[in-house]
Amino acid sequence: MAEQVGTLTFGIIKPDAVRAGKIGQIIARITDSGFHLRAMKLIHMTRREAEGFYAIHRERPFFGELTEFMSGGPCVVMALEKDGAVRAWRDLMGATNPAQAEEGTLRKEFGASVGENAVHGSDSEENARLEISYFFSQIELV
Ligand code: UDP
Ligand code: MG
């Protein structure tokens, strides 16, 4: 594993953005913004895998819809490195609801609705570690 120069966060290019053919544009925005890709792969989550990933939201009213959407097509999972990566990646993503996201953010540009909002990002370094380890083994981090 290469020497770590920043901190890590975890991101997903969600099925809506993959379906719309936006993987390349979103990865370009990520690398242009100074993130280093430490791990990346295209996967198609089962319903059960999506439920495990979003277990923290199990009691929320949108849980069924969310896990159906996230298991409804392929997505790209990524470990991203930058100084202050968690905050920086959430800033680049923008607000959960694309209608409230700032100009220049990924959710503003690529998100369609509060549910189908193009990208996921960890909300803390602790959750970033858990989320990276949910999808990647140590050997997959370069
Ligand atoms: N979500 C939804 N309806 C809501 C709130 C959230 O469908 O009212 C979905 C949306 O895809 C969001 C995900 O659930 O990205 C996780 O919600 P969270 O509040 O953690 O937002 P995020 O951290 O993704 O900005
Ligand atoms: Mg969240």
Side-chain angles (χ1 to χ4, degrees):
M1 200 164 131
E3 191 187 340
Q4 199 173 312
V5 294
T7 55
L8 291 176
T9 192
F10 173 75
I12 303 180
I13 303 174
K14 292 185 177 183
D16 57 328
V18 173
R19 203 173 287 125
K22 303 300 183 189
I23 294 175
Q25 285 181 52
I26 291 174
I27 291 173
R29 292 284 302 278
I30 290 169
T31 51
D32 287 350
S33 301
F35 291 91
H36 299 278
L37 280 164
R38 300 296 298 270
M40 177 168 68
K41 60 189 172 187
L42 184 71
I43 62 166
H44 188 153
M45 275 187 255
T46 63
R47 187 71 179 262
R48 200 171 279 273
E49 287 163 349
E51 287 170 354
F53 176 66
Y54 279 117
I56 195 168
H57 293 311
R58 193 179 292 124
E59 306 303 329
R60 307 280 285 276
F62 55 82
F63 184 68
E65 211 180 345
L66 173 61
T67 56
E68 184 182 5
F69 162 59
M70 291 300 289
S71 60
C75 67
V76 177
V77 290
M78 305 168 287
L80 304 173
E81 182 179 336
K82 194 181 184 185
D83 271 340
V86 169
R87 180 78 259 156
W89 175 229
R90 291 202 66 97
D91 286 348
L92 181 59
M93 289 200 303
T96 306
N97 185 347
Q100 284 153 18
E102 288 189 40
E103 279 311 322
T105 63
L106 296 174
R107 282 168 163 172
K108 178 74 174 184
E109 187 171 353
F110 300 109
S113 66
V114 67
E116 305 206 357
N117 55 6
V119 282
H120 165 84
S122 308
D123 59 10
S124 67
E125 286 190 23
E126 168 69 9
N127 283 335
R129 278 190 289 275
L130 290 169
E131 292 176 0
I132 288 168
S133 67
Y134 190 74
F135 292 104
F136 296 106
S137 64
Q138 198 175 339
I139 203 170
E140 292 178 289
L141 288 166
V142 300

PDB file of all heavy atoms in Angstrom, residues 24-42:
ATOM      1  N   GLY A  24     -17.642   8.713 -16.167  1.00  0.00           N
ATOM      2  CA  GLY A  24     -16.413   9.393 -16.603  1.00  0.00           C
ATOM      3  C   GLY A  24     -16.379  10.843 -16.152  1.00  0.00           C
ATOM      4  O   GLY A  24     -15.357  11.326 -15.638  1.00  0.00           O
ATOM      5  N   GLN A  25     -17.490  11.544 -16.339  1.00  0.00           N
ATOM      6  CA  GLN A  25     -17.535  12.962 -15.943  1.00  0.00           C
ATOM      7  C   GLN A  25     -17.340  13.125 -14.438  1.00  0.00           C
ATOM      8  O   GLN A  25     -16.677  14.057 -13.988  1.00  0.00           O
ATOM      9  CB  GLN A  25     -18.877  13.578 -16.349  1.00  0.00           C
ATOM     10  CG  GLN A  25     -18.999  13.850 -17.837  1.00  0.00           C
ATOM     11  CD  GLN A  25     -20.339  14.476 -18.181  1.00  0.00           C
ATOM     12  OE1 GLN A  25     -20.735  15.479 -17.579  1.00  0.00           O
ATOM     13  NE2 GLN A  25     -21.037  13.898 -19.119  1.00  0.00           N
ATOM     14  N   ILE A  26     -17.947  12.235 -13.664  1.00  0.00           N
ATOM     15  CA  ILE A  26     -17.848  12.360 -12.205  1.00  0.00           C
ATOM     16  C   ILE A  26     -16.425  12.027 -11.737  1.00  0.00           C
ATOM     17  O   ILE A  26     -15.860  12.743 -10.896  1.00  0.00           O
ATOM     18  CB  ILE A  26     -18.925  11.502 -11.501  1.00  0.00           C
ATOM     19  CG1 ILE A  26     -20.307  12.122 -11.788  1.00  0.00           C
ATOM     20  CG2 ILE A  26     -18.664  11.403  -9.996  1.00  0.00           C
ATOM     21  CD1 ILE A  26     -21.489  11.307 -11.290  1.00  0.00           C
ATOM     22  N   ILE A  27     -15.821  11.005 -12.311  1.00  0.00           N
ATOM     23  CA  ILE A  27     -14.437  10.688 -11.924  1.00  0.00           C
ATOM     24  C   ILE A  27     -13.498  11.836 -12.307  1.00  0.00           C
ATOM     25  O   ILE A  27     -12.587  12.189 -11.549  1.00  0.00           O
ATOM     26  CB  ILE A  27     -13.984   9.338 -12.521  1.00  0.00           C
ATOM     27  CG1 ILE A  27     -14.749   8.207 -11.837  1.00  0.00           C
ATOM     28  CG2 ILE A  27     -12.468   9.140 -12.332  1.00  0.00           C
ATOM     29  CD1 ILE A  27     -14.515   6.848 -12.449  1.00  0.00           C
ATOM     30  N   ALA A  28     -13.746  12.458 -13.456  1.00  0.00           N
ATOM     31  CA  ALA A  28     -12.923  13.615 -13.851  1.00  0.00           C
ATOM     32  C   ALA A  28     -13.058  14.744 -12.826  1.00  0.00           C
ATOM     33  O   ALA A  28     -12.058  15.364 -12.438  1.00  0.00           O
ATOM     34  CB  ALA A  28     -13.330  14.105 -15.238  1.00  0.00           C
ATOM     35  N   ARG A  29     -14.275  14.979 -12.363  1.00  0.00           N
ATOM     36  CA  ARG A  29     -14.486  16.032 -11.354  1.00  0.00           C
ATOM     37  C   ARG A  29     -13.763  15.693 -10.049  1.00  0.00           C
ATOM     38  O   ARG A  29     -13.219  16.582  -9.370  1.00  0.00           O
ATOM     39  CB  ARG A  29     -15.988  16.222 -11.103  1.00  0.00           C
ATOM     40  CG  ARG A  29     -16.738  16.820 -12.312  1.00  0.00           C
ATOM     41  CD  ARG A  29     -16.470  18.313 -12.457  1.00  0.00           C
ATOM     42  NE  ARG A  29     -16.868  19.009 -11.241  1.00  0.00           N
ATOM     43  CZ  ARG A  29     -18.122  19.371 -10.967  1.00  0.00           C
ATOM     44  NH1 ARG A  29     -19.070  19.158 -11.855  1.00  0.00           N
ATOM     45  NH2 ARG A  29     -18.413  19.967  -9.840  1.00  0.00           N
ATOM     46  N   ILE A  30     -13.777  14.409  -9.702  1.00  0.00           N
ATOM     47  CA  ILE A  30     -13.124  13.970  -8.464  1.00  0.00           C
ATOM     48  C   ILE A  30     -11.604  14.189  -8.550  1.00  0.00           C
ATOM     49  O   ILE A  30     -11.003  14.790  -7.651  1.00  0.00           O
ATOM     50  CB  ILE A  30     -13.458  12.480  -8.195  1.00  0.00           C
ATOM     51  CG1 ILE A  30     -14.935  12.339  -7.794  1.00  0.00           C
ATOM     52  CG2 ILE A  30     -12.543  11.889  -7.121  1.00  0.00           C
ATOM     53  CD1 ILE A  30     -15.439  10.896  -7.756  1.00  0.00           C
ATOM     54  N   THR A  31     -11.009  13.746  -9.635  1.00  0.00           N
ATOM     55  CA  THR A  31      -9.548  13.871  -9.734  1.00  0.00           C
ATOM     56  C   THR A  31      -9.142  15.326  -9.974  1.00  0.00           C
ATOM     57  O   THR A  31      -8.141  15.792  -9.441  1.00  0.00           O
ATOM     58  CB  THR A  31      -8.975  12.920 -10.805  1.00  0.00           C
ATOM     59  OG1 THR A  31      -9.696  13.092 -12.018  1.00  0.00           O
ATOM     60  CG2 THR A  31      -9.104  11.474 -10.373  1.00  0.00           C
ATOM     61  N   ASP A  32      -9.944  16.083 -10.747  1.00  0.00           N
ATOM     62  CA  ASP A  32      -9.658  17.514 -10.941  1.00  0.00           C
ATOM     63  C   ASP A  32      -9.730  18.281  -9.617  1.00  0.00           C
ATOM     64  O   ASP A  32      -9.148  19.355  -9.487  1.00  0.00           O
ATOM     65  CB  ASP A  32     -10.665  18.148 -11.918  1.00  0.00           C
ATOM     66  CG  ASP A  32     -10.428  17.728 -13.359  1.00  0.00           C
ATOM     67  OD1 ASP A  32      -9.380  17.108 -13.644  1.00  0.00           O
ATOM     68  OD2 ASP A  32     -11.298  18.011 -14.207  1.00  0.00           O
ATOM     69  N   SER A  33     -10.486  17.756  -8.646  1.00  0.00           N
ATOM     70  CA  SER A  33     -10.632  18.424  -7.349  1.00  0.00           C
ATOM     71  C   SER A  33      -9.548  18.006  -6.361  1.00  0.00           C
ATOM     72  O   SER A  33      -9.626  18.354  -5.172  1.00  0.00           O
ATOM     73  CB  SER A  33     -12.017  18.123  -6.768  1.00  0.00           C
ATOM     74  OG  SER A  33     -13.024  18.579  -7.651  1.00  0.00           O
ATOM     75  N   GLY A  34      -8.580  17.241  -6.837  1.00  0.00           N
ATOM     76  CA  GLY A  34      -7.426  16.941  -5.992  1.00  0.00           C
ATOM     77  C   GLY A  34      -7.533  15.682  -5.154  1.00  0.00           C
ATOM     78  O   GLY A  34      -6.705  15.451  -4.274  1.00  0.00           O
ATOM     79  N   PHE A  35      -8.540  14.868  -5.417  1.00  0.00           N
ATOM     80  CA  PHE A  35      -8.625  13.586  -4.709  1.00  0.00           C
ATOM     81  C   PHE A  35      -7.743  12.567  -5.414  1.00  0.00           C
ATOM     82  O   PHE A  35      -7.615  12.586  -6.638  1.00  0.00           O
ATOM     83  CB  PHE A  35     -10.063  13.054  -4.709  1.00  0.00           C
ATOM     84  CG  PHE A  35     -11.010  13.855  -3.861  1.00  0.00           C
ATOM     85  CD1 PHE A  35     -11.718  14.915  -4.411  1.00  0.00           C
ATOM     86  CD2 PHE A  35     -11.201  13.544  -2.520  1.00  0.00           C
ATOM     87  CE1 PHE A  35     -12.596  15.657  -3.636  1.00  0.00           C
ATOM     88  CE2 PHE A  35     -12.072  14.279  -1.735  1.00  0.00           C
ATOM     89  CZ  PHE A  35     -12.776  15.343  -2.303  1.00  0.00           C
ATOM     90  N   HIS A  36      -7.163  11.665  -4.622  1.00  0.00           N
ATOM     91  CA  HIS A  36      -6.442  10.519  -5.165  1.00  0.00           C
ATOM     92  C   HIS A  36      -7.329   9.291  -5.014  1.00  0.00           C
ATOM     93  O   HIS A  36      -7.867   9.053  -3.936  1.00  0.00           O
ATOM     94  CB  HIS A  36      -5.131  10.298  -4.413  1.00  0.00           C
ATOM     95  CG  HIS A  36      -4.209  11.469  -4.506  1.00  0.00           C
ATOM     96  ND1 HIS A  36      -3.391  11.669  -5.594  1.00  0.00           N
ATOM     97  CD2 HIS A  36      -4.012  12.510  -3.660  1.00  0.00           C
ATOM     98  CE1 HIS A  36      -2.714  12.800  -5.399  1.00  0.00           C
ATOM     99  NE2 HIS A  36      -3.072  13.328  -4.246  1.00  0.00           N
ATOM    100  N   LEU A  37      -7.490   8.553  -6.097  1.00  0.00           N
ATOM    101  CA  LEU A  37      -8.262   7.307  -6.045  1.00  0.00           C
ATOM    102  C   LEU A  37      -7.393   6.219  -5.444  1.00  0.00           C
ATOM    103  O   LEU A  37      -6.322   5.907  -5.979  1.00  0.00           O
ATOM    104  CB  LEU A  37      -8.683   6.904  -7.458  1.00  0.00           C
ATOM    105  CG  LEU A  37      -9.891   7.635  -8.026  1.00  0.00           C
ATOM    106  CD1 LEU A  37      -9.949   7.440  -9.538  1.00  0.00           C
ATOM    107  CD2 LEU A  37     -11.175   7.141  -7.372  1.00  0.00           C
ATOM    108  N   ARG A  38      -7.793   5.660  -4.330  1.00  0.00           N
ATOM    109  CA  ARG A  38      -7.021   4.588  -3.681  1.00  0.00           C
ATOM    110  C   ARG A  38      -7.631   3.216  -3.940  1.00  0.00           C
ATOM    111  O   ARG A  38      -6.964   2.188  -3.805  1.00  0.00           O
ATOM    112  CB  ARG A  38      -6.925   4.854  -2.171  1.00  0.00           C
ATOM    113  CG  ARG A  38      -6.239   6.176  -1.824  1.00  0.00           C
ATOM    114  CD  ARG A  38      -4.783   6.191  -2.278  1.00  0.00           C
ATOM    115  NE  ARG A  38      -4.035   5.153  -1.612  1.00  0.00           N
ATOM    116  CZ  ARG A  38      -3.400   5.308  -0.460  1.00  0.00           C
ATOM    117  NH1 ARG A  38      -3.403   6.476   0.139  1.00  0.00           N
ATOM    118  NH2 ARG A  38      -2.762   4.310   0.086  1.00  0.00           N
ATOM    119  N   ALA A  39      -8.931   3.192  -4.278  1.00  0.00           N
ATOM    120  CA  ALA A  39      -9.596   1.938  -4.642  1.00  0.00           C
ATOM    121  C   ALA A  39     -10.846   2.303  -5.418  1.00  0.00           C
ATOM    122  O   ALA A  39     -11.466   3.340  -5.157  1.00  0.00           O
ATOM    123  CB  ALA A  39      -9.971   1.139  -3.398  1.00  0.00           C
ATOM    124  N   MET A  40     -11.192   1.439  -6.388  1.00  0.00           N
ATOM    125  CA  MET A  40     -12.394   1.707  -7.189  1.00  0.00           C
ATOM    126  C   MET A  40     -12.854   0.427  -7.869  1.00  0.00           C
ATOM    127  O   MET A  40     -12.040  -0.327  -8.398  1.00  0.00           O
ATOM    128  CB  MET A  40     -12.089   2.765  -8.251  1.00  0.00           C
ATOM    129  CG  MET A  40     -13.250   3.052  -9.159  1.00  0.00           C
ATOM    130  SD  MET A  40     -12.975   4.532 -10.157  1.00  0.00           S
ATOM    131  CE  MET A  40     -11.675   3.983 -11.211  1.00  0.00           C
ATOM    132  N   LYS A  41     -14.167   0.187  -7.861  1.00  0.00           N
ATOM    133  CA  LYS A  41     -14.704  -0.927  -8.657  1.00  0.00           C
ATOM    134  C   LYS A  41     -16.182  -0.726  -8.953  1.00  0.00           C
ATOM    135  O   LYS A  41     -16.893  -0.024  -8.223  1.00  0.00           O
ATOM    136  CB  LYS A  41     -14.470  -2.282  -7.983  1.00  0.00           C
ATOM    137  CG  LYS A  41     -15.083  -2.454  -6.619  1.00  0.00           C
ATOM    138  CD  LYS A  41     -14.582  -3.763  -5.974  1.00  0.00           C
ATOM    139  CE  LYS A  41     -15.032  -3.850  -4.520  1.00  0.00           C
ATOM    140  NZ  LYS A  41     -14.431  -5.005  -3.833  1.00  0.00           N
ATOM    141  N   LEU A  42     -16.602  -1.375 -10.071  1.00  0.00           N
ATOM    142  CA  LEU A  42     -18.007  -1.380 -10.475  1.00  0.00           C
ATOM    143  C   LEU A  42     -18.647  -2.623  -9.867  1.00  0.00           C
ATOM    144  O   LEU A  42     -18.142  -3.734 -10.061  1.00  0.00           O
ATOM    145  CB  LEU A  42     -18.080  -1.435 -12.004  1.00  0.00           C
ATOM    146  CG  LEU A  42     -19.452  -1.362 -12.668  1.00  0.00           C
ATOM    147  CD1 LEU A  42     -20.042   0.037 -12.534  1.00  0.00           C
ATOM    148  CD2 LEU A  42     -19.342  -1.729 -14.151  1.00  0.00           C
TER     149      LEU A  42
END
